[in-house]
Amino acid sequence: MDIKLNEAVAYVMKCLQTEGKYARTFVQKILYFVIEERDKLFKPYLYGPYSESVQRMIQYLEKESEDLDKWGIRREYVFYNKVDTVIEFIKKEGLKPTNIALLSKIHYIVSILKTDASEKLNEIISFLKEKSCDYGWREVYTKSDDELIDLLDQLKNTKILGNNIACFQ
């Protein structure tokens, strides 16, 4: 990533504050979808993919700064365009933080599945249920196969959220 973590976190926090939708979990999920090195930063956690580094930066910025602009937010980064695109998509689709958390959990699981589109859908669903059970993500493993297929389709059809997943290629 060509942007420092503090700048990325500050920018997302500022965007969400402007939208009136600021919440730590929401900051985590948006960063999960836009940071390319997500597999290095994020690990499975109760509410979905979670980064201790991101959380510490959120807490630091909340405590130390009321003016997020001082963190060197520079508009020329492509990263900011990704954040803006994801936030605009979320607004357009009327997605709530709980929807984003659910989609991030599904994204996390299918992104670790090293397969391609030729893999049988029932094997992908089975893997989703197995891994979500391992992670304690009840709202994933209790979904019906049809509901999981719909969620996979939502991720696949919204290239904004479903980028770089082998089974979608």
Side-chain angles (χ1 to χ4, degrees):
M1 179 166 68
D2 60 359
I3 183 173
K4 294 178 183 170
L5 186 60
N6 64 333
E7 294 175 357
V9 173
Y11 184 73
V12 173
M13 287 173 68
K14 183 176 180 176
C15 288
L16 292 178
Q17 285 173 346
T18 301
E19 293 291 323
K21 296 184 182 211
Y22 174 76
R24 290 178 181 176
T25 303
F26 211 19
V27 173
Q28 286 264 353
K29 299 312 168 240
I30 288 173
L31 286 167
Y32 170 78
F33 280 114
V34 297
I35 291 177
E36 291 177 16
E37 301 89 16
R38 69 178 66 91
D39 57 329
K40 295 175 188 169
L41 263 176
F42 290 86
K43 303 293 178 228
Y45 198 67
L46 184 61
Y47 298 110
Y50 173 84
S51 168
E52 183 65 36
S53 299
V54 169
Q55 189 65 18
R56 280 194 308 267
M57 185 55 62
I58 291 169
Q59 290 169 338
Y60 175 78
L61 290 171
E62 285 174 340
K63 198 177 349 175
E64 297 298 320
S65 177
E66 290 186 16
D67 182 13
L68 293 172
D69 286 328
K70 82 175 197 173
W71 289 97
I73 295 172
R74 297 180 296 245
R75 291 293 310 178
E76 68 269 12
Y77 284 120
V78 171
F79 172 83
Y80 296 125
N81 293 331
K82 288 181 184 178
V83 171
D84 294 341
T85 302
V86 168
I87 290 173
E88 189 57 38
F89 170 77
I90 289 167
K91 282 180 8 188
K92 180 181 165 215
E93 296 296 316
L95 298 176
K96 296 181 170 101
T98 53
N99 302 117
I100 297 301
L102 177 60
L103 290 172
S104 71
K105 291 172 183 178
I106 291 170
H107 185 283
Y108 185 87
I109 294 169
V110 296
S111 68
I112 60 174
L113 179 62
K114 304 298 182 206
T115 187
D116 60 24
S118 65
E119 192 74 36
K120 293 181 180 172
L121 186 57
N122 61 347
E123 291 176 22
I124 294 170
I125 297 297
S126 177
F127 185 77
L128 255 175
K129 287 186 175 189
E130 176 187 331
K131 291 308 273 184
S132 63
C133 189
D134 291 347
Y135 298 146
W137 293 345
R138 182 173 167 45
E139 65 276 18
V140 177
Y141 68 77
T142 58
K143 296 272 186 221
S144 70
D145 290 1
D146 288 340
E147 289 172 312
L148 289 173
I149 289 168
D150 289 345
L151 290 163
L152 283 168
D153 284 342
Q154 187 175 4
L155 275 175
K156 182 179 178 181
N157 294 329
T158 58
K159 296 189 186 338
I160 295 164
L161 302 181
N163 57 351
N164 301 324
I165 297 179
C167 70
F168 291 167
Q169 305 301 320

